[in-house]
């Protein structure tokens, strides 16, 4: 995507692809663990370093000032929906959101790790965590790539305010 009018569409499709609803529709009946699915998605072409690098360049070069706010909102919507879906679907006694995120990243240890691996099926809560983890990887590329230098001072202020308020809302939950 190297045209102004298609970068926003591409970004919207990528965000939708990593949404909880997309994972639930496509992976809900799949056998396997959330760790296996995470590794499969992470090593695929969509989230490869080369694709994300090209996406970053396209966003900074071709995203118009009028498309920046929509992109920011789309990024945070993906993260909020994933977090909300996890909260609604996590059974009592289940791993916390942070514990499952650490499991996906391989940051757990010893005895507890064995227990977590047993609990790592593709349940709705785990699909939400998968969506969040992979979506956060995309958002971490998108936000710094936004063409802030092309924005007017008032648009820049609005975007910064939106990002700050979204981070604050996210931190509250």
């Amino acid at each position: 995507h190297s045209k102004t009018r298609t970068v926003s569409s591409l970004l919207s499709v990528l965000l939708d692809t990593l949404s909880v609803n997309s994972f639930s529709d496509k992976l809900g009946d799949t056998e396997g663990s959330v760790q296996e699915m995470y590794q499969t998605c992470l090593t695929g072409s969509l989230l490869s370093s080369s694709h994300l690098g090209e996406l970053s360049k396209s966003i900074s070069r071709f995203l118009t000032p009028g498309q920046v706010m929509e992109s920011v909102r789309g990024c945070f919507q993906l993260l909020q929906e994933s977090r909300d879906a996890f909260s609604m679907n996590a059974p009592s006694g289940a791993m916390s959101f942070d514990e499952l995120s650490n499991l996906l990243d391989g940051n757990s240890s010893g005895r507890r790790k064995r227990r977590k691996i047993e609990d790592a099926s593709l349940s709705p809560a785990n699909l939400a965590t998968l969506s969040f983890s992979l979506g956060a990887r995309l958002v971490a590329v998108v936000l710094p790539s936004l063409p802030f230098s092309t924005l007017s001072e008032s648009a820049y202020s609005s975007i910064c305010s939106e990002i700050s308020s979204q981070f604050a809302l996210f931190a509250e939950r």
Side-chain angles (χ1 to χ4, degrees), residues 37-119:
M37 193 56 61
Y38 178 77
Q39 286 302 318
T40 299
C41 292
L42 198 59
T43 57
S45 59
L46 184 68
L47 295 172
S48 70
S49 297
S50 62
H51 180 258
L52 293 177
E54 290 300 316
L55 178 64
S56 175
K57 288 177 192 174
S58 293
I59 288 170
S60 63
R61 290 180 186 157
F62 300 111
L63 199 68
T64 66
Q67 296 169 328
V68 173
M69 182 64 85
E70 175 189 342
S71 299
V72 168
R73 287 184 177 144
C75 287
F76 283 104
Q77 180 180 350
L78 169 68
L79 298 178
Q80 287 291 357
E81 287 176 358
S82 299
R83 181 108 185 207
D84 292 346
F86 176 82
S87 297
M88 289 185 340
N89 290 299
S92 62
M95 286 181 271
S96 72
F97 188 80
D98 292 333
E99 287 175 322
L100 193 52
S101 291
N102 285 337
L103 173 65
L104 290 174
D105 292 333
N107 296 334
S108 54
S109 61
R111 178 184 58 79
R112 292 185 52 89
K113 185 172 183 178
R114 281 190 295 275
R115 180 188 65 83
K116 290 178 188 176
I117 290 172
E118 292 168 7
D119 294 344

Side-chain angles (χ1 to χ4, degrees), residues 133-153:
S133 296
L134 297 172
R137 182 172 170 90
L138 178 63
V139 170
V141 169
V142 172
L143 291 180
S145 302
L146 294 172
F148 291 112
S149 63
T150 65
L151 300 174
S152 67
E153 191 172 316

